[in-house]
Every structure is written in C-alpha cells, then in structure tokens.
Amino acid sequence: MNAPTHQGQRTAHLDTAGTGRMPAAVQSVLADCTARDDRFGTHALEEELGAVLHTGIHERLGGLLGVPAGRTALAAGAADAFHAYVSRLDLGPRDRIWTTPHEGVAHLTTLYGLRERTRCRLEVVPLRADGDLDLEWMLEHIDEDVALVSVVHVSAVCGTVNPVEAVGRLLAPHRALYAVDASHAVGRLPVDAARIGCDLLTADGWRFLRGPQGIGFAYAGPRSAEAFSAPPAPAAVAALHTALGHHTAAMSLPHPELLPRLRSTVARAPGIELLAAGRVQAGIVGFRHGEVPAALIRRALARRGIVVRKTVAQEHPLHPAGREAPTALVASVHYDNTAEDIDRLGTALREALHEIVREERKFAAVSAIRVLAAAGAAPVGRPPVRQDPYHRPEPVRRGHLTLHTTY
C-alpha cells in the first residue's frame, strides 16, 4: 500500500507505470530471500526455491499471458529480453524492419544496432491524425521483405493502447516476425499472447505487476528460438512469483476505473495541456505546462505527497510529444489508487503552479531591479537621484590593516 508521508498523510503514488509500489507480501519475500541468499549462498536458496524457480513462476506467467508455461522465460527486463532475441536475427540489406513512434529508447538502440550490423532498413509506421497507428499504411506497405515488426502495446508517454491484435492479423499471412512490448499493459490490461499472434512478447515485472526491479519476462512463440540471457537472482524470481499471485487475487475484486477522473482532473489545472493520445488509453496520462518546467512541478508535487514521473523527449525520441516539449509529466493509476489520490493531485497541482508562478514573478521583478540599478537607472516608482557634477566621492576606505616596513 501507499506509505504515509512525513506529514502523516497517505502518499498518493501515481507512478505505477514507472515503478509500482511492491505490496507488503512481496517486500517480505524479497527481503527474506535476499537475507538467506546472503547467509547461506545462492545455490542453497535455489535448492530451497526449486519448485518456484522451475515450474511455479512459469505457470503463473503462462496464466497471465494465455500461453503454455513452457514458452515463457525470465530476463533482467523487457529491453534485455528484446535485445537477446533481436541481436541474433540473421537479416540482410534487402530486409526491412518496422517500429512505431511509441518505441522506447532501449528498444530503439537494439534496432539501430541490428540495422548497423545487417544493413537492413528501419522504417517507422506513421500515426493517424487521431494518434492511432495507421493500419492502412501497414496494409499498403507490407511485403515479404518486412522481416520484423516491433509494436508497443501501451505507450509509456500518453497511455495510447495500440491495436496489437489487429496488427497480428495483418501480419499473419506474411514472413515478418512480430514483437510486442507489453511492459505497460501486463497488470493493467488483459494480455493474451496467443490472440495477439506475436512471436515475441516482453514485459517488465516492476510496473503494474508491482514486482521487484531488475526482473522481466518474455514469451517466445513457435517460430522463435529461446535465446535469452541468464535468469535473474532467485530472490527476485520468488518476489515476482508472489507479486503475480497478489495480482491475480486483486484483479478478481471490483475496482473503479479512475483514468477518466485522472484525465479531467489534470486537464482542469491552469495552463496544463494533455499530451495527444489515441482513441483508447489505459492507465497513463501525459501532460505539460506551457511555461513551467516539468522538473519544478514534479518537485512541488513531491513536497505535497504526490508522486508522478518526469519524462524527457530522449526516452521516446520518435514520439511527436517530444517535438512539442522536451520534458513532460506522466501520472498513472492502478487498482491500489483511490479517487481521493486523484483529488489530492488536482489540489496539489493547482497549489504548486500558483507557488511556482508567484516565485518566478518575484524573481523576475528582483532581476529587473538589479539590471536597472546596474545600468544607473532609477527603479520604477522612484525619482532619479540628481548627481552633483562638482562632487567628488570620498575614496573607499579599506577594512583591513596595512603594514609598513621601515628600513
């Protein structure tokens, strides 16, 4: 649960899309297993957790993704699994790979490396005017020279839900391998890799699943050979196993849909602009202020017990939001949030903007007075001081002792 702040209030953690707050049970398992690893060694812990490491975790991942347990694998994160898979592809100069404007910089780095190594062409699927992927463009340009298509399920920038199942049906008759980054979808939306029709699905375990950092997972389809790195530490695996069980139990309970309330609350704040998203969004709202830097807003909200994330354009260099503003803020909601959290965000956001604008105006006024004083002009509202042309100012008296040496 969200912890109390130094003022005794409940922290409104609105950054589950960045780093989810681990439930108490997950924290307990992680701490206990880490302590035993430190005392008895990794091999002893692996023997003790054998059923969890070899079968239990994969059964829960298979149930989460709607695939056989034998097709799942563990990795340090989605980007690590994607790199391990893509870096082994045998492509050539005549091949094309497709990505989208929602792709994160880690995946893009892997794709750029593949392009440099194989001399294949990298193309970006355009967005429509409403912010959705242009499926008509894909249908028109698909051919057998398209070897790989990489699509983000839910955008980390603005929460756009991409039609991954429709893309899978479009690609099914063709040669292209299909990779989906579901890092911001698993734990927030139902994800069925079989229905999506992808060859690779990767995700992080520390976002909406609220597991520990440094662990992710992947599904490799029948056309894909498993080529992933060594699994994470057993303590992290045990904690993710617990987080998956906690998630399954929590999702069986009714939860209100808070995203519309979050969007309307943020949009009402003075000077705030929502980042353009597609027709369908899930759990994430991106926004910015036309004049106030995102870093100042984030810090002001943190002082009031509200946690949101600042994002920079370099994290998603192909997304059009980066051309509108180099920095922005991202707020996200999950089932552990409440309507009160969002209302507190609205109040804190208005207070923070008022405070920042007031301080900036005060700073600008002081700076203007200093500039005028340096230029010899009188401050506004004060008559200029007339200078006597025959007056000689007294020399400045130094405030230190001067020693004279006598020969």
Side-chain angles (χ1 to χ4, degrees):
M1 297 297 293
N2 291 338
T5 68
H6 65 280
Q7 297 178 337
Q9 288 184 305
R10 178 179 183 269
T11 299
H13 186 80
L14 299 173
D15 186 29
T16 305
T19 304
R21 296 288 294 270
M22 288 187 293
V26 179
Q27 294 183 36
S28 177
V29 169
L30 181 63
D32 180 61
C33 289
T34 301
R36 282 185 285 164
D37 190 337
D38 181 65
R39 182 175 182 182
F40 301 110
T42 302
H43 294 301
L45 183 60
E46 288 176 342
E47 289 181 359
E48 185 177 347
L49 297 175
V52 170
L53 302 181
H54 300 298
T55 58
I57 186 69
H58 295 289
E59 289 175 354
R60 290 188 176 181
L61 287 175
L64 177 72
L65 304 177
V67 297
R71 302 302 305 183
T72 61
L74 296 171
D80 181 79
F82 183 74
H83 176 78
Y85 178 86
V86 170
S87 62
R88 296 173 180 262
L89 295 180
D90 184 18
L91 305 184
R94 295 184 178 181
D95 292 317
R96 290 187 290 158
I97 52 179
W98 284 357
T99 185
T100 73
H102 301 287
E103 199 80 82
V105 65
H107 282 58
L108 280 176
T109 300
T110 295
L111 294 177
Y112 290 153
L114 177 65
R115 182 181 63 181
E116 293 300 314
R117 177 174 62 85
T118 65
R119 301 302 177 188
C120 64
R121 288 177 288 165
L122 175 61
E123 299 175 348
V124 181
V125 178
L127 300 178
R128 301 188 321 189
D130 59 8
D132 283 347
L133 285 179
D134 193 338
L135 298 185
E136 293 183 1
W137 183 96
M138 297 181 72
L139 186 61
E140 181 180 351
H141 291 83
I142 187 66
D143 205 341
E144 296 310 303
D145 61 349
V146 178
L148 173 67
V149 177
S150 177
V151 177
V152 173
H153 193 172
V154 175
S155 171
V157 181
C158 51
T160 303
V161 179
N162 288 315
V164 290
E165 293 185 14
V167 173
R169 291 191 295 269
L170 187 152
L171 298 176
H174 300 278
R175 164 206 174 200
L177 294 171
Y178 182 25
V180 173
D181 179 7
S183 291
H184 295 86
V186 290
R188 189 65 182 77
L189 298 175
V191 176
D192 191 324
R195 290 186 59 182
I196 293 173
C198 56
D199 299 286
L200 176 72
L201 186 142
T202 59
D204 297 321
W206 61 83
R207 303 186 192 278
F208 287 111
L209 288 176
R210 302 171 68 200
Q213 293 197 44
I215 185 169
F217 50 90
Y219 156 75
R223 291 198 300 169
S224 303
E226 293 187 21
F228 304 110
S229 57
V237 177
L240 178 60
H241 180 264
T242 304
L244 290 169
H246 185 278
H247 169 73
T248 300
M251 293 307 292
S252 64
L253 303 174
H255 299 284
E257 178 53 63
L258 297 176
L259 183 63
R261 190 187 192 105
L262 176 63
R263 290 184 63 86
S264 62
T265 298
V266 172
R268 287 197 300 269
I272 290 294
E273 304 171 8
L274 298 183
L275 300 185
R279 291 176 295 175
V280 182
Q281 302 94 35
I284 299 173
V285 173
F287 60 98
R288 71 182 187 94
H289 192 278
E291 299 177 0
V292 181
L296 293 182
I297 299 176
R298 187 200 66 77
R299 289 196 291 265
L301 291 176
R303 291 194 296 270
R304 291 165 171 81
I306 311 294
V307 179
V308 298
R309 178 168 55 92
K310 186 193 81 170
T311 182
V312 298
Q314 291 85 346
E315 295 177 8
H316 300 85
L318 302 180
H319 199 277
R323 295 191 293 269
E324 299 173 3
T327 62
L329 293 161
V330 177
S332 52
V333 287
H334 199 27
Y335 56 72
D336 64 327
N337 289 117
T338 64
E340 181 186 358
D341 293 338
I342 298 175
D343 294 342
R344 283 184 57 202
L345 169 65
T347 301
L349 188 56
R350 290 190 296 272
E351 291 177 354
L353 290 173
H354 178 73
E355 173 189 284
I356 294 170
V357 171
R358 182 186 61 200
E359 291 298 320
E360 287 191 343
R361 288 175 178 172
K362 181 190 296 184
F363 177 79
V366 171
S367 299
I369 292 174
R370 289 177 177 174
V371 170
L372 291 172
V380 177
R382 296 184 183 178
V385 178
R386 298 185 62 181
Q387 299 293 334
D388 184 354
Y390 301 102
H391 174 70
R392 292 184 180 181
E394 296 183 3
V396 177
R397 299 183 181 275
R398 299 185 181 274
H400 62 269
L401 179 64
T402 304
L403 297 180
H404 299 272
T405 304
T406 305
Y407 295 96

